[in-house]
Amino acid sequence: MRYGYNGPMATLASENDLPQNLWQWFKGSWMDRVILLISLVAIVCSWQWIHSFVSSGPPMVMIYHDDQLLARYPIPEEGKPIHFHAEGEIGDSEILIDANGARFVSSPCSSGYCIAHGQRKEHGDIIACVPNRILIVIEGNSADALDAIVE
Amino acid sequence: MSNIISAPRPSLLELEEKAKWLTLLLLAVGLHIFEAALPSLGPWFKPGLANIMTLLALVLIGPRAALMLAIWRVIVGSFLIGTLFTPTFVISLAGGIASAAVMLLAWRTIPGITLIGISLIGALAHMSVQFITVESLFIHQHALYYLLPPLLLLSVITGWINGGLAAYIISRIEESD
């Protein structure tokens, strides 16, 4: 079996020669590097593709429950926060939208990951509360084009 | 009683493999709990340290043991951290099974691949299947996939590192044998 290290070379290398040993363990084979390259190219291309749809137009905060759009707000001006209550699967999630972005203020879920995720305002940002099935997405105004293509 | 006495004793090799599997399972559960306690780098993102134990099981015991380890690690780990049968458990289980299955397939079929490549593919499968599970079972919204590319990028890094760590551990185990 190929484990990703060269056994004899590993024993020849000095115990104190840490950088060289580290290189031995983490360099991978040529096939690993091919897989790495393919993965990186695919990820970067898909990221660019998504970004080109999401980033067009001023940012809008979309609030979904499952596949249902509950609300859609532009990022408000300073001093004019919006409080929205989203009724989800297990209760009511309170969402605050202000000039700094959108965030969950309270949630009926036990994990609290959605609240810990903090505030988001950049295009393509997402905050999800999976137990309550509430999703906050920051999209550009014309991001509907993506849905049309995916569907 | 006579049945118990006459039952054939398991061979030493069988017992040794079971002991190895249980040891790896306990280590994997420990890492699963440790990862759950880490501050979140993002929704559904974990460094995947427990996956190192799946890789070790694959090399030291075999493919079936690795798959079973991935399943039982999620079940026991979720039971201990109190998320059994919650959405988190379903997402973890789907990711764990998909990751283990893809790693076994890569190990069997891709020539020249090492534990690093196997781990990388496993990490990508784990992350992708988590998103597919969330989208298909919990939040039916394509917009979820906006978050996938950056998290896949992090998975590439952690997958590579975990594979290197697994290779290092295997070599040390073999040196001590």
Side-chain angles (χ1 to χ4, degrees), chain A residues 42-78:
Chain A
I43 290 167
V44 170
C45 289
S46 61
W47 200 345
Q48 283 294 322
W49 184 73
I50 288 172
H51 193 74
S52 66
F53 287 110
V54 176
S55 63
S56 50
M60 298 286 290
V61 179
M62 320 287 241
I63 302 165
Y64 295 95
H65 171 226
D66 261 339
D67 57 351
Q68 188 190 351
L69 181 64
L70 299 178
R72 177 185 167 123
Y73 293 104
I75 300 283
E77 293 169 19
E78 195 76 52

Side-chain angles (χ1 to χ4, degrees), chain B:
Chain B
M1 184 69 183
S2 62
N3 279 346
I4 295 170
I5 293 168
S6 62
R9 293 178 64 188
S11 70
L12 196 60
L13 190 70
E14 265 178 70
L15 287 173
E16 197 182 314
E17 288 203 342
K18 276 182 186 164
K20 270 185 197 168
W21 188 83
L22 277 172
T23 307
L24 291 174
L25 177 66
L26 290 175
L27 287 168
V29 168
L31 287 170
H32 185 94
I33 294 168
F34 171 71
E35 285 187 310
L38 284 178
S40 174
L41 290 170
W44 319 302
F45 184 78
K46 296 279 184 327
L49 295 171
N51 198 43
I52 295 173
M53 297 306 142
T54 311
L55 288 167
L56 296 186
L58 180 65
V59 172
L60 297 173
I61 312 171
R64 192 169 173 275
L67 188 61
M68 295 311 292
L69 188 104
I71 294 169
W72 279 104
R73 183 253 297 172
V74 176
I75 294 172
V76 178
S78 300
F79 174 74
L80 292 176
I81 59 178
T83 58
L84 196 63
F85 305 128
T86 63
T88 309
F89 166 75
V90 176
I91 297 163
S92 288
L93 189 64
I97 293 172
S99 161
V102 168
M103 289 196 301
L104 303 188
L105 200 68
W107 186 59
R108 285 263 169 93
T109 57
I110 302 178
I113 197 168
T114 71
L115 285 182
I116 290 177
I118 294 171
S119 170
L120 194 159
I121 290 174
L124 292 176
H126 193 276
M127 185 57 72
S128 306
V129 168
Q130 279 189 330
F131 269 78
I132 293 167
T133 307
V134 172
E135 202 268 340
S136 55
L137 295 182
F138 301 111
I139 300 176
H140 307 283
Q141 196 39 251
H142 300 315
L144 271 175
Y145 292 108
Y146 295 171
L147 206 59
L148 189 55
L151 290 176
L152 283 178
L153 205 58
L154 286 173
S155 299
V156 166
I157 299 166
T158 55
W160 193 278
I161 293 170
N162 290 342
L165 288 173
Y168 173 73
I169 294 168
I170 293 282
S171 77
R172 296 307 299 255
I173 290 172
E174 290 196 339
E175 270 174 33
S176 66
D177 281 346

Side-chain angles (χ1 to χ4, degrees), chain A residues 2-151:
Chain A
R2 317 138 306 232
Y3 301 136
Y5 73 99
N6 184 326
M9 280 193 74
T11 48
L12 282 173
S14 157
E15 284 286 323
N16 298 325
D17 198 1
L18 195 60
Q20 196 183 335
N21 277 343
L22 274 179
W23 172 242
Q24 283 297 327
W25 301 118
F26 292 97
K27 70 177 182 180
S29 67
W30 63 271
M31 179 54 85
D32 296 335
R33 288 175 219 154
V34 168
I35 293 167
L36 175 68
L37 188 69
I38 294 169
S39 308
L40 289 178
V41 169
I43 290 167
V44 170
C45 289
S46 61
W47 200 345
Q48 283 294 322
W49 184 73
I50 288 172
H51 193 74
S52 66
F53 287 110
V54 176
S55 63
S56 50
M60 298 286 290
V61 179
M62 320 287 241
I63 302 165
Y64 295 95
H65 171 226
D66 261 339
D67 57 351
Q68 188 190 351
L69 181 64
L70 299 178
R72 177 185 167 123
Y73 293 104
I75 300 283
E77 293 169 19
E78 195 76 52
K80 291 181 181 172
I82 298 163
H83 287 266
F84 184 80
H85 289 266
E87 190 61 38
E89 207 68 16
I90 55 171
D92 179 74
S93 292
E94 188 185 351
I95 295 158
L96 172 67
I97 308 165
D98 60 21
N100 298 318
R103 67 184 168 97
F104 280 97
V105 177
S106 68
S107 171
C109 65
S110 57
S111 63
Y113 287 140
C114 53
I115 298 170
H117 206 74
Q119 208 146 26
R120 291 286 181 272
K121 72 175 293 188
E122 298 301 324
H123 287 97
D125 280 346
I126 282 177
I127 315 171
C129 180
V130 176
N132 206 24
R133 303 190 184 184
I134 299 291
L135 186 71
I136 304 173
V137 183
I138 316 290
E139 289 180 349
N141 242 341
S142 55
D144 292 350
L146 180 67
D147 289 336
I149 286 170
V150 173
E151 282 165 6

